[in-house]
Amino acid sequence: MDYQNYVQMLKAMADPNRLKIIDLLSCGSLCACDILQHFDFSQPTLSHHMKVLQNAGIVFTVKDGKWQHYSLQKRFVQEFKQNTDQLLAADEHCLCQRSDCEKDVAN
Amino acid sequence: MDYQNYVQMLKAMADPNRLKIIDLLSCGSLCACDILQHFDFSQPTLSHHMKVLQNAGIVFTVKDGKWQHYSLQKRFVQEFKQNTDQLLAADEHCLCQRSDCEKDVAN
DNA sequence: CCATTACATAGACGATCATCTATGTATAGT
DNA sequence: ACTATACATAGATGATCGTCTATGTAATGG
């Protein structure tokens, strides 16, 4: 399993404000000024959070005149669920390499 | 949606070493010394990581003589998947409260 | 052209984090 | 009793993080 990308997604999600942004975007595209209205922090702080989300591959942006429209990356939604299922699956191949490993015995 | 608990899980998972620990435990119970063999960091560092995972409700521990056996909380596995699905679901009720919200229109 | 709006960037600051060494505390074996 | 093993705790340190103010930039409207 490729932890690197998954960890980057998890890090980007592991902030209550960014999690709320993802929740907001899960219902469709929004521009920065619309998102900002739901928070108490400053505009540069939002700009910072959006960059973190972009770098993690969670959102993408389309420029439209003065506005930046942010949307969730469908690839992120898919990959995050997939990685989560793989991590927490009970029948995944075990890393522990012990002869008495419960998981390997189960396979 | 209760972000608080979900964020705590995400924060605990958002570290490559702790993610690997979760992966290791997904195949069954392990004691600290077994887990430690898979890493380069020191024993106190592992102890710290295990505490973070416990505080997030991700692992629980059973003492057996000198050993501490760590296991994944089944409740965590269930709740994390559930929260993830809820967050990323396309048909979840929207927070944006805009009259032209794509999600609300879809409902 | 000038003011306004919608953002991004730079730099600073306090808080949190991952890691370490040193040390403490049980438990087990001899 | 003594030693070794398995783990936890304390405290320090450097790095990262979330936020801020100040400023820059690009687009729009009169």
Side-chain angles (χ1 to χ4, degrees), chain B residues 28-69:
Chain B
S29 175
L30 288 172
C31 70
C33 53
D34 286 335
I35 299 174
L36 190 57
Q37 290 184 331
H38 292 84
F39 296 95
D40 290 330
F41 51 64
S42 66
Q43 174 266 321
T45 296
L46 177 64
S47 202
H48 160 72
H49 285 312
M50 298 317 293
K51 198 165 195 177
V52 172
L53 291 172
Q54 283 183 75
N55 289 340
I58 294 179
V59 309
F60 68 96
T61 173
V62 176
K63 188 165 188 177
D64 171 28
K66 289 190 295 182
W67 294 275
Q68 289 281 6
H69 293 279

Side-chain angles (χ1 to χ4, degrees), chain A residues 12 16 18 34 64 67 79 105:
Chain A
R18 285 197 294 264
D34 287 335
D64 171 28
W67 293 277
E79 280 191 7
V105 165

Side-chain angles (χ1 to χ4, degrees), chain A residues 3 23 26-27 30 94 103, chain B residues 3 23 26-27 94 98 103:
Chain A
Y3 289 145
D23 211 345
S26 75
C27 68
L30 289 171
C94 186
K103 181 171 285 186
Chain B
Y3 289 144
D23 211 348
S26 75
C27 68
C94 186
R98 293 192 306 157
K103 181 173 284 186

Side-chain angles (χ1 to χ4, degrees), chain A residues 27-80:
Chain A
C27 68
S29 175
L30 289 171
C31 70
C33 53
D34 287 335
I35 298 174
L36 190 58
Q37 290 185 330
H38 292 85
F39 297 95
D40 289 331
F41 50 63
S42 65
Q43 174 267 320
T45 296
L46 176 64
S47 202
H48 161 72
H49 285 313
M50 298 317 294
K51 197 165 194 175
V52 172
L53 291 171
Q54 283 183 74
N55 289 340
I58 294 179
V59 309
F60 69 95
T61 175
V62 175
K63 188 165 187 177
D64 171 28
K66 289 191 297 183
W67 293 277
Q68 287 282 4
H69 292 279
Y70 293 99
S71 308
L72 277 193
Q73 287 271 16
K74 290 188 179 176
R75 185 191 168 114
F76 152 70
V77 175
Q78 177 194 328
E79 280 191 7
F80 186 76

